Amino acid sequence: MAVGFHITATILMLAFAIVYASDPSPLQDFCVAVPDADASVFVNGKICKDPKLVKPEDFFFPGLNNPRSTSNPLGSNVTLLNVDQIPGLNTLGISLARLDFAPYGLNPPHTHPRATEILVVLEGTLLVGFVTSNPPMNMKNRLFTKVLNPGDVFVFPEGLIHFQFNNGQTNAVAFAGLSSQNPGVITIAKAVFGSDPPISPDVLTKVFQTDKNVIKYLQSQFWWDNNFP
Ligand SMILES: *[C@@H]1O[C@H](CO)[C@@H](O)[C@H](O)[C@H]1NC(C)=O
């Protein structure tokens, strides 16, 4: 009897479970984030500013027309405007990025754990791609790739590893919308080889089927970040 009840309860719970594919929907017009770096409470998102004190500036960010410096070893610069830059984005499930590339500049393989990305190229050409998650046994992870010219749009599905590479001889500029107020970025090589403290070389030697010296060399590199601010 008790077992039957538990099974029924579990089935009912599963049937009514809601899975959110993006940030939760707002429960009011807006919930402008309070800069709460020093707050001792942590909530999912940020706590709301008193609506009576909200100003147009809470929804505003100037100067995204200005090119960003790409003089770093990656030759790229990503300016992400998330809820930390625009507090009015809190609970709204969206953010925006400007991407600048020097010739042959690279935005290295990375994922956004909480957002799908839709990118449009304004200037130059970009070789872009994403790779699917692990398929059934003995099948390969599939690469979806394309060369984009000005006006071309490409989508990078939530959580999948993707990259953008300027394969042309001029600068490239793109803008991207992301379906989260805080998409997050995991840059694969930097996270794996540049973690603090480092992952045991024994682990990485086995993963990459290589010599331990190669792993130690990679772990001793400085892993650049192209994200700004
Ligand atoms: C990105 O550009 C900004 C503004 O030009 C600059 O201050 C910042 O250092 C750049 N970041 C990198 C990683 O080059």
Side-chain angles (χ1 to χ4, degrees), residues 5 44 65 72 88 110 133 138 171 186 194 222:
F5 171 76
N44 189 20
N65 57 325
N72 60 63
H110 64 280
S133 57
N138 300 328
N171 290 342
I186 302 168
F222 183 81

Side-chain angles (χ1 to χ4, degrees), residues 116-119 128-130 144 148 153-158 162:
T116 290
E117 174 174 345
I118 181 164
L119 175 139
V128 304
F130 69 82
F144 290 80
L148 306 181
V153 172
F154 202 76
V155 172
F156 306 97
E158 178 167 339
H162 60 283

Side-chain angles (χ1 to χ4, degrees), residues 6 32 42 51 95 125 132 155 167 183:
H6 277 115
V32 172
F42 287 89
S95 53
T125 60
T132 62
V155 172
N167 60 344

Side-chain angles (χ1 to χ4, degrees), residues 23 53 59 68 101 110-111 116 126-127 192 212 228:
D23 292 8
L53 304 176
F59 303 95
R68 268 49 183 176
F101 298 85
H110 64 280
T111 82
T116 290
L126 289 178
L127 168 68
V192 172
K212 197 171 279 184
F228 170 79

Side-chain angles (χ1 to χ4, degrees), residues 7-27:
I7 291 171
T8 312
T10 308
I11 289 169
L12 279 175
M13 272 160 61
L14 288 174
F16 289 105
I18 296 168
V19 176
Y20 288 105
S22 62
D23 292 8
S25 300
L27 300 171

Side-chain angles (χ1 to χ4, degrees), residues 67-69 72 76-77 224-228:
R68 268 49 183 176
S69 162
N72 60 63
S76 69
N77 194 323
W224 275 87
D225 197 358
N226 61 351
N227 279 268
F228 170 79

Side-chain angles (χ1 to χ4, degrees), residues 62-122:
L64 212 57
N65 57 325
N66 297 324
R68 268 49 183 176
S69 162
T70 54
S71 49
N72 60 63
L74 290 168
S76 69
N77 194 323
V78 178
T79 310
L80 175 65
L81 304 183
N82 65 17
V83 67
D84 292 329
Q85 286 75 42
I86 306 181
L89 286 177
N90 195 34
T91 76
L92 298 182
I94 195 167
S95 53
L96 180 72
R98 175 190 169 110
L99 298 88
D100 287 88
F101 298 85
Y104 306 110
L106 172 69
N107 191 17
H110 64 280
T111 82
H112 303 293
R114 293 176 290 277
T116 290
E117 174 174 345
I118 181 164
L119 175 139
V120 58
V121 175
L122 263 74

